[in-house]
């Protein structure tokens, strides 16, 4: 079983924690991780882009000139795609980009993301992540003490308003509760700082 150190909010090691091998110690499946990231990004797309066809552009009801005898190419409307102010041919229309992965694949993707973080040393367990008040400086100090200078994902067992609001203005830092984690956020962050209780909850969910 992989072991990680457990730190306090001041960055001092206070013990060790054994992680479930079937969740945090598997060989990351790169193809499934890729599929999970593509799925997440596709599902974030709004799909509201839209262009007007020649039928939707106003004007162009009259034939610009007679069919034959002018020496020019025949034209039926000034709203054809080749005209200025004309419609767009084969342009995008509103659509949904959403697609789903089956449950087994999603589970393997999450386990692979956790294991990848443990392998590269980016999985940091904190005894208890809690702030008595909303204070950005406290989160900045926590990140500095834990060596998370660039991008970080802070994971709490449940929604914590003080932690969320203290971290939201720090560039490169995101927060999530244990039930709302996704592969993209885990892989994007250089360090995953997670509450010890949240680790236990993950073990309960993914060990089944």
């Amino acid at each position: 079983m992989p072991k990680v150190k457990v730190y306090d909010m001041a960055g001092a090691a206070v013990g060790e924690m054994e992680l479930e091998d079937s969740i945090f110690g598997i060989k990351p499946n790169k193809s499934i991780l890729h599929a999970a990231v593509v799925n997440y990004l596709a599902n974030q797309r709004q799909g509201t882009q839209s262009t007007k066809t020649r039928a939707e552009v106003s004007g162009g009801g009259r034939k610009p000139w007679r069919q034959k005898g002018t020496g020019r190419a025949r034209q039926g409307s000034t709203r054809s795609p080749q005209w200025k102010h004309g419609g767009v041919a084969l342009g995008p229309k509103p659509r949904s980009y959403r697609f789903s992965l089956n449950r087994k694949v999603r589970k393997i993707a999450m386990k692979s993301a956790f294991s990848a973080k443990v392998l590269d040393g980016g999985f940091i367990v904190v005894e208890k992540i809690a702030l008595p008040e909303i204070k950005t400086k406290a989160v900045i100090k926590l990140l500095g003490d834990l060596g998370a200078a660039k991008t970080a994902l802070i994971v709490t067992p449940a929604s914590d308003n003080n932690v969320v609001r203290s971290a939201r203005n720090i560039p490169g830092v995101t927060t999530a509760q244990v039930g709302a984690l996704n592969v993209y956020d885990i892989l994007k962050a250089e360090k995953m700082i997670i509450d010890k209780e949240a680790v236990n909850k993950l073990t309960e969910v993914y060990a089944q």
Side-chain angles (χ1 to χ4, degrees):
M1 284 189 174
K3 286 185 178 181
V4 292
K5 289 184 178 180
V6 179
Y7 299 89
D8 60 16
M9 290 281 287
V14 295
E16 281 189 340
M17 183 179 190
E18 280 193 351
L19 301 175
E20 181 64 40
D21 199 43
S22 62
I23 302 172
F24 302 97
I26 69 170
K27 181 180 179 182
N29 189 316
K30 292 183 179 179
S31 63
I32 286 183
L33 284 173
H34 177 264
V37 170
V38 170
N39 172 249
Y40 175 83
L41 293 176
N43 290 350
Q44 299 307 299
R45 296 184 69 173
Q46 291 184 331
T48 55
Q49 73 280 28
S50 184
T51 54
K52 289 185 178 181
T53 66
R54 61 181 291 174
E56 296 168 320
V57 178
S58 63
R62 182 175 63 85
K63 188 174 174 67
W65 51 76
R66 60 196 176 98
Q67 180 82 346
K68 305 172 81 64
T70 65
R72 291 177 288 188
R74 56 193 175 189
Q75 301 291 332
S77 170
T78 56
R79 294 300 179 260
S80 296
Q82 72 270 24
W83 284 74
K84 184 179 180 181
H85 306 303
V88 176
L90 307 177
K93 284 291 185 182
R95 55 164 288 194
S96 172
Y97 291 88
R98 294 188 68 83
F99 69 96
S100 61
L101 299 174
N102 67 54
R103 186 169 59 183
K104 185 177 179 180
V105 171
R106 292 199 305 268
K107 198 169 185 178
I108 293 173
M110 290 297 289
K111 289 181 179 181
S112 294
F114 296 142
S115 297
K117 272 286 164 279
V118 173
L119 280 173
D120 65 17
F123 193 84
I124 302 173
V125 180
V126 178
E127 184 72 33
K128 180 69 177 175
I129 300 176
L131 296 174
E133 58 181 334
I134 300 168
K135 202 169 185 69
T136 302
K137 284 184 179 179
V139 178
I140 293 174
K141 183 179 184 303
L142 171 66
L143 297 173
D145 292 339
L146 295 174
K150 294 182 180 178
T151 57
L153 172 64
I154 301 174
V155 183
T156 52
S159 181
D160 188 320
N161 186 57
N162 285 358
V163 173
V164 171
R165 295 183 66 182
S166 296
R168 66 183 177 180
N169 288 331
I170 306 173
V173 177
T174 54
T175 58
Q177 63 187 73
V178 70
L181 285 172
N182 64 77
V183 172
Y184 178 77
D185 285 340
I186 295 170
L187 296 180
K188 184 181 177 182
E190 184 186 37
K191 302 289 184 183
M192 181 178 176
I193 301 168
I194 184 167
D195 190 292
K196 186 177 179 180
E197 185 184 341
V199 177
N200 294 329
K201 285 191 174 183
L202 286 176
T203 303
E204 289 176 13
V205 172
Y206 288 98
Q208 297 175 357

